[in-house]
Amino acid sequence: MTATVLDKIKAYKLEEVAADKAAKPLESVEAEARTASPVRPFADALQKASRSGYGLIAEIKKASPSKGLIREDFNPAELAKAYEDGGATCLSVLTDTPSFQGGKDFLVAARAAVSLPVLRKDFMYDTYQVAEARALGADCILIIMASVSDAQAQELESAALDWGMDALIEVHDGDELERATLLKSPLIGINNRNLKTFETSLDTTRTLSKYVPADRMLVSESGLNSPEDLTEMARYGARCFLIGESLMRNDNVEMATRTLLAHPLTAAGM
């Protein structure tokens, strides 16, 4: 069977984590995590923003496996400030280097520049990475159900909660959503991009949204390019969004963010 992009990422990520552990023992990472800047409430911020408008997780993303280089003029601190000034609720920062040209230092720089909560966007397999996320200052981690077993997902989530962080549980089909609802996190991210083929369709949110439990917060991710896209997804119950590429490609990130969020769908408009 041909290895998918996700399979290839998992293979090098496990090697990367093993090398990180050898270079810096868990005890050292945990010591840094204990002295890191206090956790900023991630899920609570989204909940509050979504009551009257949209909760936007704005992504700092230099490149991707499917699209290559997305933004050449790349300064994480400046981009974070532009997102904050544009009305973003939270940030997502890519820390994976081989596939996304991200970096751990990007997260540190972005978070230091703003008051927004920050998600460490990476492929998480080991609780070492969770402690490392907190040491870097992250307030939330990503758990991709397509890439982990139920036991791994529970272990990662438990570690995040122990550090006081939130976890965004990402799914892209019905089986993954069913597994995600067994976890404690209120944040369910429906990724409109199929992580095996990298094709994107908003039908993924349209289809899966009806199965998201009422006590969970739905975050629609990927393939969102316009206010009309957000309005359409809001009709299916998504009032929180993770958006990166369409904003990263804009010359004026602050204005693009402000424009995207300007006219949220209200109950009267549904």
Side-chain angles (χ1 to χ4, degrees), residues 12-214:
Y12 77 66
K13 188 59 64 175
L14 292 175
E15 291 181 3
E16 187 181 289
V17 172
D20 287 345
K21 284 181 173 180
K24 183 184 285 190
L26 177 61
E27 293 75 15
S28 298
V29 175
E30 288 178 337
E32 291 178 8
R34 283 191 289 271
T35 58
S37 172
V39 175
R40 299 169 183 170
F42 193 94
D44 286 354
L46 290 174
Q47 180 72 55
K48 184 178 178 183
S50 66
R51 287 190 193 120
S52 56
Y54 293 145
L56 174 64
I57 307 169
E59 189 155 271
I60 294 176
K61 180 179 183 179
K62 187 174 184 179
S64 79
S66 58
K67 300 294 178 67
L69 185 67
I70 293 169
R71 188 180 184 91
E72 196 164 344
D73 172 24
F74 190 83
N75 182 310
E78 289 179 2
L79 291 168
K81 196 71 175 69
Y83 275 146
E84 183 175 50
D85 291 345
T89 309
C90 299
L91 297 180
S92 168
V93 182
L94 266 299
T95 58
D96 175 78
T97 303
S99 296
F100 291 89
Q101 296 183 38
K104 296 167 188 175
D105 55 328
F106 293 171
L107 190 154
V108 175
R111 192 177 186 277
V114 296
S115 62
L116 303 180
V118 179
L119 166 75
R120 180 187 183 181
K121 183 79 173 288
D122 212 317
F123 300 85
M124 311 291 276
Y125 300 102
D126 194 299
T127 55
Y128 178 95
Q129 296 170 280
V130 183
E132 184 182 56
R134 184 76 283 269
L136 294 169
D139 308 289
C140 185
I141 63 161
L142 180 71
I143 300 175
I144 302 172
M145 295 306 291
S147 199
V148 295
S149 67
D150 289 347
Q152 282 178 305
Q154 289 170 3
E155 190 177 41
L156 292 167
E157 182 187 57
S158 179
L161 295 175
D162 285 347
W163 286 110
M165 293 189 288
D166 288 308
L168 174 60
I169 315 300
E170 182 175 288
V171 306
H172 73 278
D173 65 29
D175 289 341
E176 290 168 15
L177 175 57
E178 191 172 334
R179 293 168 55 215
T181 59
L182 300 176
L183 298 169
K184 296 176 182 177
S185 176
L187 294 174
I188 301 287
I190 296 180
N191 195 343
N192 298 306
R193 177 172 289 115
N194 185 312
L195 294 180
K196 294 184 173 70
T197 65
F198 272 71
E199 293 174 357
T200 302
S201 171
L202 298 186
D203 283 340
T204 308
T205 293
R206 292 187 185 100
T207 301
L208 296 181
S209 59
K210 62 176 76 77
Y211 302 111
V212 176

